[in-house]
């Protein structure tokens, strides 16, 4: 009896060794094949359509999840919640009230104020400005616990198993490989940009720089499983100024996988600072410091010179000046529209079912980590027809015209607020000034409606 336990332990050790020796080739070669697959997906996955096949597979999984939830009966008290979710998709903007004109008779009635009262109540319940700086909740489950209430997992045991498997795949397989590819792609971009910067200025250098930038950014985008679908490529920018709505710092990276751009942006440190320094080696990007007031005129002159040089790549600008959650478009700063140059509008719309690209985190590293633990980053990009400022048209009017086109194509809400709202949330003076401006615009609009009704009643009486 005393020899039983030592013999048992020896047998277990031998059995473990045999199992390990049997499975060792499978595990090692499996890791090799997985790494090769993700490396191909990160580098030439766009040409091989590997990322698209991955997204198609995710669509089938999401369809199964939606079907399973629809077949599962709701618990008591959940019917009202589901009904509310169906009706909260419409965003009412205080800048575009759904108030019609006054009564046809021209006289003022109490009912004429009801739309404005309703608008005020909606503004109190749902602030369309502040909600543009928070990640919106999805109405369907994308197998991520960060975008689903616990009750939806409880309702279906099979979906609980699916979520657990997906959690293991995202955290134990996808995330480590993506981190490794990101660590490889960043030095690759830096080295190649420095190498291109050593070449003498010529047309050949610009062609090499364009190919290097697009390939390198596609490599970095592959580490995040970015799938970008470009539409209306006949309107792709070739020179001048390209403007787009802004959701994340990766917006410029996604756009650069299809076209080489020179960029304008705020100087920063960390990972983004490394990218900026590397890119400046190979092309004429413009980086500035918002705190330096003297740099504004300098940057404006640099933009003017760059935009008028047709031999340089188009310069990419995000006129909002701040990241928005891809549901609305804030007021465009008019600086880029004061320049006498062709403007290429671009609309970027992210599909949040696969992963949210909106930058809300305090640090960029946390933002990257959040995307790496998502399924993928999928977006649609529309190149809109080039535009020019009309004769006697102000820069602000031109900016609003371009913004309206981007908002319409991307399906976003237009908000007549600028990025200073988020940057100065702690300042009550900024909020009061904006509220007074909004109040004045609403009064002017209502007075105009009354004036039009009075003119109609006078003409009918005559």
């Amino acid at each position: 009896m005393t020899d039983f336990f030592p013999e048992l332990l020896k047998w277990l050790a031998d059995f473990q060794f045999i199992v390990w020796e049997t499975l060792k080739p499978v595990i090692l070669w499996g890791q090799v094949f997985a790494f090769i697959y993700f490396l191909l997906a990160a580098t030439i996955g766009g040409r091989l359509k590997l990322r698209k096949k991955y997204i198609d597979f995710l669509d089938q999984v999401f369809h199964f999840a939606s079907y399973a939830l629809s077949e599962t009966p709701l618990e008591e008290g959940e019917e009202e919640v589901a009904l509310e979710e169906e009706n909260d998709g419409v965003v009412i903007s205080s800048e575009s009230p759904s108030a019609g004109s006054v009564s046809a008779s021209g006289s003022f009635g109490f009912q004429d104020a009801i739309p404005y009262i309703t608008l005020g109540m909606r503004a109190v319940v749902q602030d369309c400005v502040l909600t543009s700086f928070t990640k919106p909740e999805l109405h369907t489950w994308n197998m991520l616990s960060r975008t689903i209430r616990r009750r939806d997992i409880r309702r279906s045991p099979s979906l609980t198993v699916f979520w657990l498997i997906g959690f293991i795949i995202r955290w134990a397989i996808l995330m480590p490989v993506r981190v490794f590819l990101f660590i490889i792609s960043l030095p690759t971009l830096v080295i190649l940009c420095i190498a291109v910067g050593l070449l003498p200025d010529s047309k050949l250098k610009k062609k090499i720089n364009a190919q290097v930038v697009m390939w390198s950014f596609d490599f970095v985008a592959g580490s995040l499983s970015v799938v970008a679908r470009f539409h209306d490529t006949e309107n792709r920018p070739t020179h001048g100024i390209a403007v787009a709505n802004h959701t994340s710092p990766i917006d410029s990276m996604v756009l650069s996988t299809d076209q080489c751009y020179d960029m304008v942006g705020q100087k920063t440190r960390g990972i983004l600072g490394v990218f900026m320094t590397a890119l400046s080696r190979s092309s004429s990007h413009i980086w500035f410091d918002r705190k330096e007031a003297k740099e504004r005129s300098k940057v404006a002159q640099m933009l003017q010179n760059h935009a008028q040089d047709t031999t340089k790549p188009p310069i990419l600008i995000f006129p909002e000046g701040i990241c928005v959650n891809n549901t609305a478009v804030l007021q465009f700063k008019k600086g880029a529209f004061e320049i006498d140059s062709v403007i290429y509008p671009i609309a970027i719309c992210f599909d949040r079912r696969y992963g949210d690209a909106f930058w809300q985190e305090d640090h960029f590293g946390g933002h990257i980590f959040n995307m790496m633990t998502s399924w993928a980053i999928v977006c649609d990009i529309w190149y809109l027809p080039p535009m020019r400022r009309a004769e006697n048209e102000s820069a602000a009017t031109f900016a609003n015209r371009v913004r309206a086109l981007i908002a319409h194509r991307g399906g976003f809400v237009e908000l007549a607020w600028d990025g200073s709202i988020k940057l100065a949330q702690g300042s009550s003076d900024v909020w009061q000034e904006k509220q007074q401006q909004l109040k004045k615009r609403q009064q002017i609009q209502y007075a105009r409606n009354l004036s039009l009704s009075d003119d109609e009643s006078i003409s009918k009486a005559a």
Side-chain angles (χ1 to χ4, degrees):
M1 186 68 177
T2 56
D3 297 335
F4 174 75
F5 288 103
E7 291 293 334
L8 177 62
L9 294 176
K10 182 180 179 181
W11 180 84
L12 290 176
D14 294 340
F15 178 75
Q16 183 180 5
F17 177 78
I18 294 173
V19 171
W20 168 248
E21 289 297 324
T22 303
L23 298 179
K24 182 178 178 180
V26 178
I27 296 175
L28 294 179
W29 282 107
Q31 292 178 345
V32 170
F33 284 123
F35 174 75
I36 292 175
Y37 172 80
F38 287 112
L39 182 62
L40 292 175
T43 53
I44 58 176
R47 296 180 179 87
L48 297 179
K49 297 183 179 181
L50 297 178
R51 301 178 203 169
K52 185 178 182 302
K53 293 178 181 178
Y54 170 61
I55 296 302
D56 292 340
F57 173 75
L58 287 179
D59 287 337
Q60 296 178 4
V61 175
F62 295 160
H63 179 73
F64 168 77
S66 299
Y67 178 78
L69 287 175
S70 64
E71 290 295 316
T72 306
L74 295 175
E75 298 177 2
E76 184 178 357
E78 292 182 347
E79 292 84 353
E80 296 181 0
V81 175
L83 182 60
E84 291 176 0
E85 290 176 352
E86 292 179 359
N87 296 330
D88 67 358
V90 179
V91 179
I92 302 299
S93 170
S94 56
E95 286 74 28
S96 301
S98 57
S101 59
V102 295
S103 58
S105 61
S107 59
F108 177 81
F110 177 76
Q111 68 276 8
D112 296 328
I114 292 179
Y116 292 91
I117 297 174
T118 304
L119 176 64
M121 296 176 64
R122 286 183 180 271
V124 173
V125 175
Q126 181 179 4
D127 187 343
C128 60
V129 178
L130 291 183
T131 54
S132 300
F133 301 125
T134 58
K135 293 186 177 181
E137 183 74 20
L138 293 178
H139 291 180
T140 57
W141 189 23
N142 62 354
M143 311 295 285
L144 294 176
S145 58
R146 68 190 71 154
T147 56
I148 189 66
R149 291 166 298 278
R150 295 179 181 272
R151 62 179 178 83
D152 289 328
I153 301 179
R154 287 201 314 266
R155 280 164 42 193
S156 177
S158 60
L159 290 183
T160 305
V161 175
F162 263 77
W163 173 83
L164 181 61
I165 295 174
F167 180 86
I168 295 173
I169 291 175
R170 288 186 293 107
W171 286 85
I173 299 178
L174 294 180
M175 193 269 288
V177 174
R178 287 170 176 172
V179 171
F180 186 74
L181 292 177
F182 185 77
I183 294 174
I184 295 177
S185 62
L186 182 58
T188 301
L189 172 63
V190 173
I191 293 172
L192 291 178
C193 287
I194 293 175
V196 173
L198 298 176
L199 299 176
D201 291 335
S202 62
K203 292 183 178 180
L204 179 61
K205 177 183 178 179
K206 294 177 181 178
K207 291 181 179 180
I208 294 176
N209 176 66
Q211 295 300 320
V212 165
V213 168
M214 288 190 291
W215 183 87
S216 299
F217 273 115
D218 192 50
F219 192 1
V220 179
S223 65
L224 301 176
S225 297
V226 173
V227 179
R229 299 182 288 245
F230 296 91
H231 310 278
D232 304 326
T233 54
E234 65 275 7
N235 298 321
R236 184 187 289 114
T238 56
H239 63 282
I241 299 176
V243 298
N245 57 299
H246 200 21
T247 304
S248 168
I250 70 168
D251 292 341
S252 55
M253 178 190 70
V254 174
L255 292 174
S256 296
T257 61
D258 185 63
Q259 169 72 359
C260 180
Y261 295 93
D262 284 344
M263 303 176 191
V264 179
Q266 165 73 25
K267 293 179 182 178
T268 185
R269 299 179 181 179
I271 298 177
L272 289 179
V274 174
F275 274 100
M276 291 179 175
T277 303
L279 292 172
S280 298
R281 300 280 187 178
S282 60
S283 191
S284 53
H285 302 272
I286 303 175
W287 312 123
F288 61 89
D289 188 354
R290 283 195 182 99
K291 298 179 181 179
E292 296 292 335
K294 297 181 180 179
E295 287 197 7
R296 293 184 179 179
S297 59
K298 182 180 178 181
V299 170
Q301 185 61 44
M302 294 174 67
L303 284 174
Q304 179 75 34
N305 298 335
H306 190 291
Q308 293 179 350
D309 191 346
T310 57
T311 63
K312 291 184 178 180
I315 192 160
L316 179 61
I317 300 176
F318 300 102
E320 290 173 289
I322 200 167
C323 294
V324 188
N325 67 359
N326 214 225
T327 62
V329 181
L330 297 183
Q331 190 177 52
F332 280 3
K333 299 182 183 300
K334 63 180 182 179
F337 302 91
E338 293 175 338
I339 300 174
D340 184 18
S341 173
V342 60
I343 299 293
Y344 290 88
I346 302 175
I348 308 174
C349 183
F350 287 90
D351 194 332
R352 294 188 299 273
R353 291 178 301 166
Y354 309 95
D356 199 338
F358 172 53
W359 186 11
Q360 191 184 27
E361 292 77 10
D362 295 333
H363 303 285
F364 184 65
H367 179 54
I368 291 292
F369 184 79
N370 185 46
M371 290 189 291
M372 285 185 174
T373 54
S374 299
W375 291 112
I377 302 297
V378 181
C379 63
D380 288 279
I381 298 171
W382 290 274
Y383 294 117
L384 305 176
M387 305 174 66
R388 274 191 174 274
R389 189 170 60 174
E391 187 177 357
N392 299 326
E393 184 180 24
S394 66
T397 304
F398 183 37
N400 290 333
R401 186 157 60 92
V402 175
R403 184 187 65 154
L405 185 63
I406 293 176
H408 176 73
R409 192 62 190 89
F412 309 126
V413 176
E414 293 185 65
L415 297 178
W417 302 78
D418 55 42
S420 62
I421 290 298
K422 182 178 180 181
L423 296 176
Q425 285 184 3
S427 175
S428 59
D429 295 337
V430 175
W431 283 104
Q432 291 178 2
E433 181 181 357
K434 292 295 182 181
Q435 289 173 353
Q436 291 298 326
Q437 293 176 359
L438 175 60
K439 181 179 179 180
K440 184 177 180 180
R441 286 198 298 268
Q442 296 283 14
Q443 291 173 346
I444 293 174
Q445 180 182 354
Y446 192 71
R448 184 181 296 114
N449 290 339
L450 287 175
S451 177
L452 291 176
S453 300
D454 290 341
D455 292 342
E456 291 177 359
S457 59
I458 292 174
S459 62
K460 289 180 179 180

PDB file of all heavy atoms in Angstrom, residues 85 88 134-142 144-149 152 325 327 352 356:
ATOM      1  N   GLU A  85     -36.527  50.697 -26.654  1.00  0.00           N
ATOM      2  CA  GLU A  85     -35.321  50.606 -27.477  1.00  0.00           C
ATOM      3  C   GLU A  85     -35.650  50.759 -28.951  1.00  0.00           C
ATOM      4  O   GLU A  85     -34.846  51.254 -29.731  1.00  0.00           O
ATOM      5  CB  GLU A  85     -34.628  49.269 -27.229  1.00  0.00           C
ATOM      6  CG  GLU A  85     -34.007  49.178 -25.838  1.00  0.00           C
ATOM      7  CD  GLU A  85     -33.416  47.823 -25.579  1.00  0.00           C
ATOM      8  OE1 GLU A  85     -33.644  46.924 -26.432  1.00  0.00           O
ATOM      9  OE2 GLU A  85     -32.735  47.643 -24.564  1.00  0.00           O
ATOM     10  N   ASP A  88     -35.979  54.702 -29.540  1.00  0.00           N
ATOM     11  CA  ASP A  88     -34.978  55.692 -29.169  1.00  0.00           C
ATOM     12  C   ASP A  88     -33.906  55.847 -30.221  1.00  0.00           C
ATOM     13  O   ASP A  88     -32.867  56.431 -29.967  1.00  0.00           O
ATOM     14  CB  ASP A  88     -34.339  55.336 -27.825  1.00  0.00           C
ATOM     15  CG  ASP A  88     -33.512  54.060 -27.908  1.00  0.00           C
ATOM     16  OD1 ASP A  88     -33.474  53.443 -28.983  1.00  0.00           O
ATOM     17  OD2 ASP A  88     -32.889  53.697 -26.889  1.00  0.00           O
ATOM     18  N   THR A 134     -20.182  60.127 -26.097  1.00  0.00           N
ATOM     19  CA  THR A 134     -20.236  58.863 -25.371  1.00  0.00           C
ATOM     20  C   THR A 134     -20.517  57.736 -26.357  1.00  0.00           C
ATOM     21  O   THR A 134     -21.147  57.958 -27.395  1.00  0.00           O
ATOM     22  CB  THR A 134     -21.334  58.883 -24.292  1.00  0.00           C
ATOM     23  OG1 THR A 134     -22.600  59.159 -24.921  1.00  0.00           O
ATOM     24  CG2 THR A 134     -21.047  59.945 -23.245  1.00  0.00           C
ATOM     25  N   LYS A 135     -20.064  56.554 -26.030  1.00  0.00           N
ATOM     26  CA  LYS A 135     -20.260  55.416 -26.922  1.00  0.00           C
ATOM     27  C   LYS A 135     -21.726  54.987 -26.899  1.00  0.00           C
ATOM     28  O   LYS A 135     -22.261  54.648 -25.844  1.00  0.00           O
ATOM     29  CB  LYS A 135     -19.358  54.251 -26.509  1.00  0.00           C
ATOM     30  CG  LYS A 135     -17.884  54.542 -26.718  1.00  0.00           C
ATOM     31  CD  LYS A 135     -17.023  53.331 -26.433  1.00  0.00           C
ATOM     32  CE  LYS A 135     -15.560  53.637 -26.733  1.00  0.00           C
ATOM     33  NZ  LYS A 135     -14.676  52.481 -26.507  1.00  0.00           N
ATOM     34  N   PRO A 136     -22.392  54.985 -28.052  1.00  0.00           N
ATOM     35  CA  PRO A 136     -23.807  54.598 -28.085  1.00  0.00           C
ATOM     36  C   PRO A 136     -23.988  53.109 -27.858  1.00  0.00           C
ATOM     37  O   PRO A 136     -23.137  52.300 -28.251  1.00  0.00           O
ATOM     38  CB  PRO A 136     -24.247  55.006 -29.502  1.00  0.00           C
ATOM     39  CG  PRO A 136     -23.000  54.970 -30.317  1.00  0.00           C
ATOM     40  CD  PRO A 136     -21.880  55.352 -29.395  1.00  0.00           C
ATOM     41  N   GLU A 137     -25.094  52.770 -27.230  1.00  0.00           N
ATOM     42  CA  GLU A 137     -25.409  51.363 -26.969  1.00  0.00           C
ATOM     43  C   GLU A 137     -26.034  50.732 -28.197  1.00  0.00           C
ATOM     44  O   GLU A 137     -26.879  51.332 -28.864  1.00  0.00           O
ATOM     45  CB  GLU A 137     -26.391  51.260 -25.791  1.00  0.00           C
ATOM     46  CG  GLU A 137     -26.735  49.841 -25.382  1.00  0.00           C
ATOM     47  CD  GLU A 137     -25.604  49.161 -24.632  1.00  0.00           C
ATOM     48  OE1 GLU A 137     -24.735  49.861 -24.111  1.00  0.00           O
ATOM     49  OE2 GLU A 137     -25.607  47.918 -24.577  1.00  0.00           O
ATOM     50  N   LEU A 138     -25.622  49.517 -28.506  1.00  0.00           N
ATOM     51  CA  LEU A 138     -26.182  48.792 -29.641  1.00  0.00           C
ATOM     52  C   LEU A 138     -27.536  48.198 -29.270  1.00  0.00           C
ATOM     53  O   LEU A 138     -27.783  47.838 -28.113  1.00  0.00           O
ATOM     54  CB  LEU A 138     -25.236  47.669 -30.076  1.00  0.00           C
ATOM     55  CG  LEU A 138     -23.888  48.090 -30.679  1.00  0.00           C
ATOM     56  CD1 LEU A 138     -23.074  46.849 -31.006  1.00  0.00           C
ATOM     57  CD2 LEU A 138     -24.088  48.920 -31.917  1.00  0.00           C
ATOM     58  N   HIS A 139     -28.405  48.061 -30.267  1.00  0.00           N
ATOM     59  CA  HIS A 139     -29.708  47.450 -30.043  1.00  0.00           C
ATOM     60  C   HIS A 139     -29.664  45.940 -30.266  1.00  0.00           C
ATOM     61  O   HIS A 139     -30.595  45.227 -29.897  1.00  0.00           O
ATOM     62  CB  HIS A 139     -30.750  48.085 -30.973  1.00  0.00           C
ATOM     63  CG  HIS A 139     -31.048  49.503 -30.613  1.00  0.00           C
ATOM     64  ND1 HIS A 139     -31.945  50.281 -31.313  1.00  0.00           N
ATOM     65  CD2 HIS A 139     -30.568  50.299 -29.626  1.00  0.00           C
ATOM     66  CE1 HIS A 139     -32.004  51.479 -30.757  1.00  0.00           C
ATOM     67  NE2 HIS A 139     -31.179  51.512 -29.752  1.00  0.00           N
ATOM     68  N   THR A 140     -28.601  45.455 -30.901  1.00  0.00           N
ATOM     69  CA  THR A 140     -28.441  44.015 -31.127  1.00  0.00           C
ATOM     70  C   THR A 140     -27.123  43.568 -30.517  1.00  0.00           C
ATOM     71  O   THR A 140     -26.169  44.350 -30.425  1.00  0.00           O
ATOM     72  CB  THR A 140     -28.450  43.691 -32.628  1.00  0.00           C
ATOM     73  OG1 THR A 140     -27.405  44.436 -33.284  1.00  0.00           O
ATOM     74  CG2 THR A 140     -29.784  44.047 -33.250  1.00  0.00           C
ATOM     75  N   TRP A 141     -27.066  42.309 -30.131  1.00  0.00           N
ATOM     76  CA  TRP A 141     -25.882  41.793 -29.442  1.00  0.00           C
ATOM     77  C   TRP A 141     -24.801  41.446 -30.459  1.00  0.00           C
ATOM     78  O   TRP A 141     -25.041  40.736 -31.442  1.00  0.00           O
ATOM     79  CB  TRP A 141     -26.265  40.556 -28.636  1.00  0.00           C
ATOM     80  CG  TRP A 141     -25.173  40.087 -27.736  1.00  0.00           C
ATOM     81  CD1 TRP A 141     -24.131  40.825 -27.250  1.00  0.00           C
ATOM     82  CD2 TRP A 141     -25.017  38.775 -27.206  1.00  0.00           C
ATOM     83  NE1 TRP A 141     -23.346  40.058 -26.442  1.00  0.00           N
ATOM     84  CE2 TRP A 141     -23.861  38.796 -26.397  1.00  0.00           C
ATOM     85  CE3 TRP A 141     -25.743  37.599 -27.317  1.00  0.00           C
ATOM     86  CZ2 TRP A 141     -23.414  37.665 -25.706  1.00  0.00           C
ATOM     87  CZ3 TRP A 141     -25.299  36.484 -26.637  1.00  0.00           C
ATOM     88  CH2 TRP A 141     -24.142  36.518 -25.837  1.00  0.00           C
ATOM     89  N   ASN A 142     -23.570  41.921 -30.208  1.00  0.00           N
ATOM     90  CA  ASN A 142     -22.437  41.574 -31.058  1.00  0.00           C
ATOM     91  C   ASN A 142     -21.465  40.637 -30.350  1.00  0.00           C
ATOM     92  O   ASN A 142     -20.271  40.623 -30.656  1.00  0.00           O
ATOM     93  CB  ASN A 142     -21.707  42.840 -31.516  1.00  0.00           C
ATOM     94  CG  ASN A 142     -21.139  43.632 -30.350  1.00  0.00           C
ATOM     95  OD1 ASN A 142     -21.385  43.307 -29.188  1.00  0.00           O
ATOM     96  ND2 ASN A 142     -20.379  44.669 -30.653  1.00  0.00           N
ATOM     97  N   LEU A 144     -20.174  40.820 -27.516  1.00  0.00           N
ATOM     98  CA  LEU A 144     -19.232  41.508 -26.642  1.00  0.00           C
ATOM     99  C   LEU A 144     -19.969  41.903 -25.367  1.00  0.00           C
ATOM    100  O   LEU A 144     -21.027  42.525 -25.439  1.00  0.00           O
ATOM    101  CB  LEU A 144     -18.654  42.756 -27.310  1.00  0.00           C
ATOM    102  CG  LEU A 144     -17.768  42.544 -28.545  1.00  0.00           C
ATOM    103  CD1 LEU A 144     -17.374  43.890 -29.141  1.00  0.00           C
ATOM    104  CD2 LEU A 144     -16.526  41.750 -28.193  1.00  0.00           C
ATOM    105  N   SER A 145     -19.417  41.570 -24.229  1.00  0.00           N
ATOM    106  CA  SER A 145     -20.107  41.859 -22.966  1.00  0.00           C
ATOM    107  C   SER A 145     -20.190  43.349 -22.702  1.00  0.00           C
ATOM    108  O   SER A 145     -21.029  43.813 -21.945  1.00  0.00           O
ATOM    109  CB  SER A 145     -19.373  41.168 -21.809  1.00  0.00           C
ATOM    110  OG  SER A 145     -18.018  41.601 -21.751  1.00  0.00           O
ATOM    111  N   ARG A 146     -19.316  44.163 -23.349  1.00  0.00           N
ATOM    112  CA  ARG A 146     -19.313  45.611 -23.100  1.00  0.00           C
ATOM    113  C   ARG A 146     -20.497  46.300 -23.757  1.00  0.00           C
ATOM    114  O   ARG A 146     -20.767  47.460 -23.483  1.00  0.00           O
ATOM    115  CB  ARG A 146     -18.005  46.213 -23.614  1.00  0.00           C
ATOM    116  CG  ARG A 146     -17.857  46.191 -25.117  1.00  0.00           C
ATOM    117  CD  ARG A 146     -16.468  46.559 -25.569  1.00  0.00           C
ATOM    118  NE  ARG A 146     -15.518  45.502 -25.252  1.00  0.00           N
ATOM    119  CZ  ARG A 146     -14.391  45.303 -25.915  1.00  0.00           C
ATOM    120  NH1 ARG A 146     -14.075  46.088 -26.898  1.00  0.00           N
ATOM    121  NH2 ARG A 146     -13.582  44.327 -25.581  1.00  0.00           N
ATOM    122  N   THR A 147     -21.209  45.625 -24.678  1.00  0.00           N
ATOM    123  CA  THR A 147     -22.334  46.255 -25.371  1.00  0.00           C
ATOM    124  C   THR A 147     -23.610  45.438 -25.208  1.00  0.00           C
ATOM    125  O   THR A 147     -24.467  45.446 -26.065  1.00  0.00           O
ATOM    126  CB  THR A 147     -22.024  46.397 -26.869  1.00  0.00           C
ATOM    127  OG1 THR A 147     -21.713  45.103 -27.407  1.00  0.00           O
ATOM    128  CG2 THR A 147     -20.861  47.325 -27.104  1.00  0.00           C
ATOM    129  N   ILE A 148     -23.748  44.756 -24.097  1.00  0.00           N
ATOM    130  CA  ILE A 148     -24.957  43.952 -23.904  1.00  0.00           C
ATOM    131  C   ILE A 148     -25.311  43.907 -22.418  1.00  0.00           C
ATOM    132  O   ILE A 148     -24.438  43.901 -21.567  1.00  0.00           O
ATOM    133  CB  ILE A 148     -24.756  42.503 -24.438  1.00  0.00           C
ATOM    134  CG1 ILE A 148     -26.073  41.741 -24.440  1.00  0.00           C
ATOM    135  CG2 ILE A 148     -23.704  41.778 -23.653  1.00  0.00           C
ATOM    136  CD1 ILE A 148     -27.088  42.269 -25.396  1.00  0.00           C
ATOM    137  N   ARG A 149     -26.567  43.912 -22.127  1.00  0.00           N
ATOM    138  CA  ARG A 149     -26.989  43.767 -20.746  1.00  0.00           C
ATOM    139  C   ARG A 149     -26.951  42.291 -20.355  1.00  0.00           C
ATOM    140  O   ARG A 149     -27.151  41.410 -21.173  1.00  0.00           O
ATOM    141  CB  ARG A 149     -28.413  44.322 -20.577  1.00  0.00           C
ATOM    142  CG  ARG A 149     -28.477  45.833 -20.732  1.00  0.00           C
ATOM    143  CD  ARG A 149     -29.912  46.293 -20.902  1.00  0.00           C
ATOM    144  NE  ARG A 149     -30.502  45.726 -22.108  1.00  0.00           N
ATOM    145  CZ  ARG A 149     -30.312  46.255 -23.320  1.00  0.00           C
ATOM    146  NH1 ARG A 149     -29.563  47.318 -23.470  1.00  0.00           N
ATOM    147  NH2 ARG A 149     -30.863  45.704 -24.372  1.00  0.00           N
ATOM    148  N   ASP A 152     -29.652  39.583 -21.407  1.00  0.00           N
ATOM    149  CA  ASP A 152     -29.714  38.942 -22.711  1.00  0.00           C
ATOM    150  C   ASP A 152     -28.909  37.652 -22.741  1.00  0.00           C
ATOM    151  O   ASP A 152     -29.247  36.727 -23.464  1.00  0.00           O
ATOM    152  CB  ASP A 152     -29.201  39.893 -23.790  1.00  0.00           C
ATOM    153  CG  ASP A 152     -30.180  41.030 -24.044  1.00  0.00           C
ATOM    154  OD1 ASP A 152     -31.383  40.777 -23.907  1.00  0.00           O
ATOM    155  OD2 ASP A 152     -29.740  42.135 -24.371  1.00  0.00           O
ATOM    156  N   ASN A 325     -18.686  60.482 -31.732  1.00  0.00           N
ATOM    157  CA  ASN A 325     -18.989  59.051 -31.685  1.00  0.00           C
ATOM    158  C   ASN A 325     -19.618  58.491 -32.956  1.00  0.00           C
ATOM    159  O   ASN A 325     -20.257  57.440 -32.926  1.00  0.00           O
ATOM    160  CB  ASN A 325     -19.887  58.724 -30.491  1.00  0.00           C
ATOM    161  CG  ASN A 325     -21.275  59.331 -30.625  1.00  0.00           C
ATOM    162  OD1 ASN A 325     -21.584  60.014 -31.600  1.00  0.00           O
ATOM    163  ND2 ASN A 325     -22.121  59.077 -29.645  1.00  0.00           N
ATOM    164  N   THR A 327     -22.129  59.415 -34.721  1.00  0.00           N
ATOM    165  CA  THR A 327     -23.582  59.561 -34.885  1.00  0.00           C
ATOM    166  C   THR A 327     -23.950  60.977 -35.308  1.00  0.00           C
ATOM    167  O   THR A 327     -25.073  61.206 -35.755  1.00  0.00           O
ATOM    168  CB  THR A 327     -24.330  59.228 -33.586  1.00  0.00           C
ATOM    169  OG1 THR A 327     -23.925  60.154 -32.556  1.00  0.00           O
ATOM    170  CG2 THR A 327     -24.029  57.806 -33.129  1.00  0.00           C
ATOM    171  N   ARG A 352     -20.522  49.672 -35.797  1.00  0.00           N
ATOM    172  CA  ARG A 352     -20.234  49.385 -34.396  1.00  0.00           C
ATOM    173  C   ARG A 352     -20.556  47.958 -33.996  1.00  0.00           C
ATOM    174  O   ARG A 352     -20.251  47.555 -32.863  1.00  0.00           O
ATOM    175  CB  ARG A 352     -21.017  50.348 -33.490  1.00  0.00           C
ATOM    176  CG  ARG A 352     -20.566  51.800 -33.625  1.00  0.00           C
ATOM    177  CD  ARG A 352     -21.246  52.672 -32.576  1.00  0.00           C
ATOM    178  NE  ARG A 352     -22.687  52.668 -32.719  1.00  0.00           N
ATOM    179  CZ  ARG A 352     -23.352  53.494 -33.513  1.00  0.00           C
ATOM    180  NH1 ARG A 352     -22.709  54.367 -34.250  1.00  0.00           N
ATOM    181  NH2 ARG A 352     -24.667  53.446 -33.584  1.00  0.00           N
ATOM    182  N   ASP A 356     -16.167  49.250 -31.652  1.00  0.00           N
ATOM    183  CA  ASP A 356     -16.375  50.696 -31.640  1.00  0.00           C
ATOM    184  C   ASP A 356     -15.020  51.391 -31.735  1.00  0.00           C
ATOM    185  O   ASP A 356     -14.144  51.200 -30.884  1.00  0.00           O
ATOM    186  CB  ASP A 356     -17.089  51.119 -30.358  1.00  0.00           C
ATOM    187  CG  ASP A 356     -17.722  52.495 -30.490  1.00  0.00           C
ATOM    188  OD1 ASP A 356     -17.274  53.266 -31.354  1.00  0.00           O
ATOM    189  OD2 ASP A 356     -18.670  52.785 -29.732  1.00  0.00           O
TER     190      ASP A 356
END
